[in-house]
Amino acid sequence: MDPVRAILLALARRAQEARLSWYAERAALRARGETPTHGNSWPYSVQADLCLITAITAADLPANFRLYDTSLSRDPLAAAAQLREVASAYDHSGPIEAEHEAARLAYKRAFAEPLTPQEQHYVELLADLPAARRDKVIEAAEERLRHRPA
C-alpha cells in the first residue's frame, strides 16, 4: 500500500475510534440515567475528523483514487465519511450503542431494586459534592473494584 493510502486509512481508523469512544461515553451517561452532553471524547472526535479532512484536501486525490474497493469522492467531507466506513468495515467495529442497548437495559433492571438506607445515605453524600469531586470518588471506587481480589 502506498504511503498516501496508508496515512489516510490510519487517520480514518483514528477518526472512527474517536467517534466510537464518543458514542461509548454517551451510552455510559445514559446507562447511569444522566443526560448525554458533549464530554471529553467529543472534541477529540471532532479534531480527528478535521485531521482526516485536512489530509484528504492536502493529498489532492485523483478522480480515480481507490482504497480497497471504494472510489473516494472528490468532496473531502464525503471522502472522509467513506474512509471512516472503510476503516470500520475492515476493523469489524462499529457504533456500539444499539448493539449494547439490550445489555444496558438488563443492567438497569438488575439494579432496579429500591435503595437501602445506607445506599440512600451514599446518594445524598455524593449529591452534595461538586461534579468533579463526585466523578473522582466514583473513579476511585471503580479503580478499587478492579484491583480487588476475586
Side-chain angles (χ1 to χ4, degrees):
M1 182 178 292
D2 68 20
V4 171
R5 284 178 173 82
I7 289 169
L8 290 177
L9 190 56
L11 286 171
R13 193 169 289 120
R14 181 68 62 189
Q16 186 66 4
E17 288 169 2
R19 179 171 288 189
L20 292 176
S21 175
W22 176 43
Y23 289 157
E25 184 178 291
R26 288 176 43 206
L29 285 171
R30 276 203 301 280
R32 292 192 302 251
E34 299 174 16
T35 303
T37 59
H38 292 306
N40 295 333
S41 300
W42 183 74
Y44 179 67
S45 170
V46 170
Q47 191 64 38
D49 282 342
L50 289 175
C51 287
L52 177 60
I53 292 166
T54 303
I56 292 168
T57 306
D60 194 25
L61 303 175
N64 61 350
F65 186 82
R66 295 178 69 79
L67 190 60
Y68 298 120
D69 297 331
T70 305
S71 286
L72 291 184
S73 170
R74 300 281 295 155
D75 174 33
L77 296 177
Q82 288 176 306
L83 278 168
R84 282 192 305 268
E85 288 174 22
V86 166
S88 65
Y90 285 89
D91 195 6
H92 301 295
S93 63
I96 64 170
E97 288 188 305
E99 182 181 325
H100 293 287
E101 185 65 15
R104 184 185 77 80
L105 293 174
Y107 175 81
K108 284 185 75 169
R109 276 193 305 275
F111 292 96
E113 306 168 357
L115 296 176
T116 65
Q118 184 182 14
E119 291 169 335
Q120 186 61 43
H121 178 68
Y122 292 147
V123 167
E124 291 165 7
L125 289 174
L126 286 172
D128 289 340
L129 292 174
R133 293 299 300 160
R134 184 173 49 246
D135 290 346
K136 184 91 171 161
V137 169
I138 292 169
E139 183 181 306
E142 290 172 347
E143 184 67 25
R144 183 172 180 182
L145 185 63
R146 276 193 289 272
H147 291 87
R148 186 184 195 187

